[in-house]
Structure formats: C-alpha cells, structure tokens
Amino acid sequence: MKVLIVPDSYKGSLSSKEVADYMEQGVLEAQPEAEIYKIPIADGGEGTVEAMVSATHGEYREMVVVGPQGQPVTATYGVLDKGQSAVIEMASASGLMLLPQEQLNPLTSTTYGTGQLIRAALELGCRKLIIGIGGSATNDGGVGMAQALGVKFLDAEGVEIGYGGGELIRIRTIDISGIHPGIAHCEVVIASDVTNPLCGPEGASNVFGPQKGATPEMVKLLDEGLKHLADTIHMQMGIRIENAAGAGAAGGLGAGLMAFLKAKMARGIDIVLEAARFDEMVQDADLVITGEGRTDAQTAFGKTPAGVAKLAKKYNKPVICVSGGITSDIKALYDIGVDVIVGATQSPMSLEEAIANSPDMIAHAVSSVVRAIGIPGKYRQPEEESISLNVRPGV
C-alpha cells in the first residue's frame, strides 16, 4: 500500500512537515507495511518558503529587514533552481505574527521589508520570483514594498511620504524612474487564493483591516487611501488596478505587485504542487492523505485539501482529509474529490488543549480511518489479493 501524505500546516500549532510526520505515524499504526511518501505543502501563506525549498532542494537565505512597524526583523526566503528563482513569504518580513496585539496598526505598518527581500533576490540574479502574500499586518497597497525597490511617492511639497496606509492619501506624484533595473528582466508570480478587489465593501480595508487592528474609523481612512493610490496609479501610470481580482490581497500588496512589478496572480497551492511534482507522484499512490488546521467552506476555494483532491481525482485516487477542526459547511469538498473528512479534535476542549494534544490526535484520526479502509481486505475471500480503497463520504 503506497500512501502519499500532503498536508498544509496547522497554523499556530504545527508546521506542514510536523503534520506530515504525525500522519505518517498514524498510517504505520494501522498499516505497518505501508510505503509512505510525504510532501509538506502550503497554499501561498505561512510555510510556502519551507514547502518550496523542500520540494525543489533549494536553500534558505536570511537577512535583517524593516519589520511591519519599522522594527528590525530577521526574515527568511528561499533560493531555487540554482539561483534562477526565489520564493518569498511576505509574512516573514511584514506579517501579523511579527507583532503583539497591542502593536497592530495598519495606519503605520509597512511592506518595506518585503521589498527588501525582493531586492535581495534580484541582486542575487534571480529571474523568477514567487511571492506568497498571506498573513500580512499591512494595509499600504504595497507602497512600502515599492519604496524599497526605488519607487518614490511624493506629497504636494515633493517630500517622500512615510510608512503605512495612513500616508497614502498624501500621495501626489509617483516617480518610478529609480526602480530596480532587475525588475524589467524578472517574472513575478503572486501565490495567493484571495480574489478581493482593492477597495470598497469587499476590499482590503473592509474585509481584512479589522483583524490587523483597524477600528471602523481607521477602515474608512484606509479604504480612502487605497482608492486614492489606485486613482493616482491610473492617472500617472495608465494602469487600472482597483478592481483586479486579488488586488486587495495582503492589504493591497497584490495591487502594488501588479502595478510596479507587473506580477501575475496564481493559486498558491497549484504553484507548490507543481514544484513538488505531485501530479507525477500521485499516479503511483493507493491513498492520498491531506489536511489543514481548520476545514470550512473557504477550503474549496484554493486551499490545500481542495488543490490536492482535484489533482488526485484525475487518477481516481481516494483522498482523506484530516484537519484540526471542521465545520458543517464543507459538502462542496466532496464534489471536488475529497472522499472522507475527519476532525482530529474528537471531544470538547479548549484551543490550548487542542494545540497541546494535536500530535496524538492527528495520528489517532489517521490511524482510525486507514484501519477502516483496510476492513474489506481483512474479511475478503482468500483468493482476493487487492485491498479495496473505494471509500465514500461517511466511511
């Protein structure tokens, strides 16, 4: 029995590699002779660098950059393809996880550090950049990122604006003459599953601003700033960015990358699965196991279990999803190709207890489902040789 284990991280608890290890433990408890292949994965958010470096045998690079509130932070990015490509997680330089709750303030938080990572990759000679933009603490439309690459945003007096979404309304002139020359020779791909526009009720400020510390009054100011940025980009650069799908990702960083780096959007999970040669590996598998920290209605829209299931079903492979928690609105995943969905948390407990016990719970949940799959083989007639894997929802 060949088992392919392809989980995302359980955010705030376990990395995708750790989850894969505990899932392997569960499989071996039920099927000690199983052949197991593990592909830790990510969908453009936390863990994307680790997943891409692992899948391609790349290398890590570290550097000190400007953090989301101007503080120095040590950020990590990956170099792939013998230096031809790089993978960057904006969260490593400009992420929510870098700040305590009391310091969250999207009016002043900046993506400058993300721009510094991009500059470093360009100066290494990388000609393709994959930028995962989940988990941001920012709402500056990617202006900080562009400033780090040499773009100037000047106010009415010709003075460079400061950091943060609160400064955008002051922009009068955008000067791109000093932008890093490497950008002209580089392909930039945004790894994200967010399709929100830049502004308005479904835009970056209204949808994502509150989780970054924005009050209702701040949300209004931030949205006005992003609208002003979009109008200025249109007037001075001839680019309409406001309603582009994904422009609102990461506090508008999606818009900034599209406007200043001519970046293209792609589903993060598709990028990582391609790099990991999942399409090739799944063909020889008897069973695929995936999962994430929480499986809900949004999972069907480009999250790791959905991406894994869609490709697995090309070859009619059974797919089990074992997640930290599940909600009742997940039926769309069955249509995509997931056969069984199981929550690792099987009894009421606090979040702290769930995190502390997640290794054992993951292993137990996987073991239980794999044992159930093996039951038909356990009671088959002697002349039958193959294990039935025709699982269905509800097994």
Side-chain angles (χ1 to χ4, degrees):
M1 183 181 188
K2 294 182 180 180
V3 182
L4 189 57
I5 297 176
V6 198
D8 202 340
S9 64
Y10 280 28
K11 291 178 177 58
S13 175
L14 299 169
S15 70
S16 54
K17 182 181 183 304
E18 289 171 325
V19 175
D21 289 342
Y22 295 126
M23 287 182 167
E24 176 184 35
Q25 179 181 324
V27 173
L28 293 177
E29 286 177 2
Q31 293 280 353
E33 304 303 317
E35 294 180 44
I36 297 175
Y37 302 88
K38 296 179 289 185
I39 307 177
I41 217 77
D43 57 17
E46 179 186 345
T48 299
V49 167
E50 180 183 27
M52 291 291 288
V53 169
S54 174
T56 64
H57 305 290
E59 60 183 63
Y60 295 102
R61 296 291 179 96
E62 285 188 349
M63 63 180 293
V64 178
V65 301
V66 173
Q69 287 295 343
Q71 79 281 26
V73 300
T74 300
T76 303
Y77 66 103
V79 178
L80 321 173
D81 306 325
K82 298 180 179 180
Q84 293 301 301
S85 304
V87 56
I88 293 168
E89 275 179 46
M90 73 88 60
S92 182
S94 314
L96 206 59
M97 64 182 180
L98 299 174
L99 297 173
Q101 185 70 29
E102 63 272 14
Q103 291 184 21
L104 296 178
N105 186 351
L107 289 174
T108 56
S109 57
T110 179
T111 52
Y112 195 95
T114 298
Q116 290 177 293
L117 294 180
I118 294 171
R119 175 181 283 275
L122 291 172
E123 292 179 354
L124 281 175
C126 297
R127 291 298 174 258
K128 180 174 182 179
L129 304 181
I130 299 165
I131 305 177
I133 61 174
S136 77
T138 58
N139 206 101
D140 71 350
V143 164
M145 172 275 302
Q147 287 173 317
L149 292 170
V151 180
K152 294 182 179 179
F153 298 85
L154 308 176
D155 66 12
E157 281 73 45
V159 177
E160 184 87 12
I161 67 165
Y163 291 156
E167 290 283 287
L168 304 185
I169 200 70
R170 297 177 52 221
I171 298 172
R172 293 297 177 269
T173 303
I174 301 175
D175 179 2
I176 64 171
S177 62
I179 197 167
H180 195 289
I183 292 169
H185 310 288
C186 189
E187 175 190 1
V188 182
V189 180
I190 303 168
S192 174
D193 60 358
V194 173
T195 58
N196 299 69
L198 184 62
C199 310
E202 300 301 317
S205 306
N206 280 283
V207 175
F208 304 112
Q211 71 191 39
K212 303 172 186 183
T215 63
E217 294 77 16
M218 291 166 65
V219 166
K220 185 175 184 296
L221 293 173
L222 291 166
D223 192 55
E224 289 173 353
L226 290 177
K227 180 67 167 65
H228 177 70
L229 173 65
D231 290 343
T232 307
I233 288 173
H234 179 220
M235 287 188 294
Q236 298 186 17
M237 299 175 61
I239 300 171
R240 291 186 178 274
I241 203 68
E242 181 177 346
N243 294 314
L253 178 60
L257 290 168
M258 292 178 198
F260 301 111
L261 278 68
K262 296 181 173 57
K264 305 296 183 185
M265 294 286 295
R267 288 189 184 274
I269 182 61
D270 295 338
I271 293 170
V272 178
L273 288 175
E274 181 180 357
R277 299 184 297 112
F278 176 79
D279 191 88
E280 174 186 331
M281 296 181 69
V282 75
Q283 296 180 46
D284 294 325
D286 296 307
L287 175 66
V288 178
I289 303 176
T290 186
E292 59 186 340
R294 173 185 166 90
T295 293
D296 56 27
Q298 292 302 309
T299 297
F301 299 98
K303 298 292 186 181
T304 291
V308 168
K310 286 179 180 178
L311 282 177
K313 284 306 156 183
K314 284 176 55 179
Y315 306 100
N316 197 32
K317 303 297 182 179
V319 178
I320 296 171
C321 176
V322 177
S323 296
I326 58 175
T327 60
S328 60
D329 51 357
I330 54 174
K331 292 183 179 180
L333 285 174
Y334 295 131
D335 297 328
I336 289 172
V338 177
D339 293 290
V340 179
I341 304 172
V342 177
T345 306
Q346 297 293 312
S347 60
M349 64 181 67
S350 68
L351 177 61
E352 291 74 18
E353 289 175 313
I355 290 174
N357 294 302
S358 54
D360 289 340
M361 293 192 301
I362 292 168
H364 174 71
V366 170
S367 177
S368 296
V369 178
V370 173
R371 288 177 191 278
I373 290 172
I375 286 175
K378 186 175 181 180
Y379 295 104
R380 66 177 181 266
Q381 296 300 315
E383 63 272 13
E384 297 183 55
E385 296 182 357
S386 60
I387 295 176
S388 172
L389 292 172
N390 294 318
V391 293
R392 290 290 184 271
V395 169

